[in-house]
Structures are given as C-alpha cells and as structure tokens.
Amino acid sequence: LPAPGDVYAAAPPRAGRPRYLRAILLFALALFTTTTLGPITVQFSRTDMTTDLVTEAGVVLTPRVIRAVWGNPEMLRMGLSFSIPALLILLAHEIGHYIACRRYRLPSTLPYFLPLPLGFFGTFGAFIRIKAPIHSKRQLFDVGVAGRIAGFVMLVPFLLYGVSQSHPAALSPPSRSPPARRGPSGGS
C-alpha cells in the first residue's frame, strides 16, 4: 500500500467486468470491413484481375464498394476467404496474450479489434490492455511470447492449405510501353 500523501504511487488495479458486447461489436465491425475491402485488395494485387473500385484516394469503404462486394457472391466468397483467416490469426495472437495474463493473474481487457474503413486490409489489428504492472521479466516474456506462439499455431493450417491449393502462374513478358496506371479505370 502507498504511504499516505504519496501522489506518485501506482494506482491499485481496478477489477472491472469484461465488456463482451464491446469486444463482439468491434470484432463484427472488423469482420465487415475486412470482408468488404478484402476482394479489392486481392484484385488489386493480382495481374490477371482488374478492379474499378479503387479510387484516387485509395480503397475506401463506400456504399458503392459495399454493394459491389455484398451483392456479388464470388466477391463475397473472396472477401470471406481473406478476412476469416486474417482475423482468426489476429484473434489467436491476442487470446494468447490474454490467457498468459490470466495465468499470472494480471487483469486485462478482452481482445478489441480496430476496424479501418479505408486502406487495403480493413483493420488496424487488435489489442488487449493489461491493467496492472508486470512484475518480472519472466511475466513480461511469457505474456509477450504467448501471443506470437498462438498466432503462429493458428497461421500454420492456413499456410499449409494455401500452399497446397496454389498453382504456378506464367509471368507475362515485360512490355516496352510504360506501365498502365492501376486505379479507377482498372488498369492492368
């Protein structure tokens, strides 16, 4: 306990109840943004596909983009095959940190996802907040490495599936003309 009048003493950790609704809502929003922006990312990164959904400002979540993705089953499938693995890997990473915190009786929040309605990925990622000081290097190491190990374990099945389903693609010879700009008109 801090001495009376010690204004620099650390505040005792607050034991708050988990905010399940907030965590679920942020996850659902991140799932929506990554599913919607995922197909555009896939199309933009491939040379055999074009898209007219990229604007001068980049990839932005607009009503037109939402209709294009959620109204087309093929694009929605592409979006889900992008967002589900990405968010499950992020979730496993954060759950790894969360479980390590629970193991050391460190109060922490549930994993919170940060949806991003622009850019190519659709999320800033996820985080947990540890609400108490970490008292030893061992705790710091275990909490830190637990997320990476859990994320890697979740990544391996997706990696193996992706490699098993991939196939070589022929590269087109470079053209002598200047490269076409990729953007609203689709480009190359």
Side-chain angles (χ1 to χ4, degrees), residues 102-171:
R102 300 290 297 208
R103 179 174 173 251
Y104 283 108
R105 300 186 196 288
L106 293 169
S108 66
T109 64
L110 294 168
Y112 292 131
F113 283 78
L114 300 171
L116 180 65
L118 51 101
F120 285 103
F121 197 64
T123 181
F124 270 128
F127 71 95
I128 66 167
R129 179 173 172 236
I130 301 172
K131 297 180 178 183
I134 296 176
H135 296 291
S136 71
K137 289 180 183 178
R138 176 71 183 210
Q139 282 181 351
L140 179 62
F141 178 80
D142 288 351
V143 169
V145 79
R148 282 139 183 91
I149 292 171
F152 181 75
V153 167
M154 180 62 76
L155 169 102
V156 169
F158 292 115
L159 175 69
L160 295 175
Y161 177 78
V163 169
S164 72
Q165 297 301 308
S166 67
H167 56 319
L171 294 175

Side-chain angles (χ1 to χ4, degrees), residues 88-98 126 144 146-151:
L88 285 177
I89 292 165
L90 282 172
L91 180 63
H93 175 95
E94 294 306 326
I95 291 292
H97 292 311
Y98 181 77
R148 282 139 183 91
I149 292 171

Side-chain angles (χ1 to χ4, degrees), residues 45-62:
S45 66
R46 293 182 53 175
T47 58
D48 62 335
M49 299 177 89
T50 60
T51 181
D52 62 345
L53 297 174
V54 178
T55 66
E56 293 295 325
V59 179
V60 181
L61 195 65
T62 62

Side-chain angles (χ1 to χ4, degrees), residues 1 26 65 89 183:
L1 289 174
L26 286 170
V65 170
I89 292 165

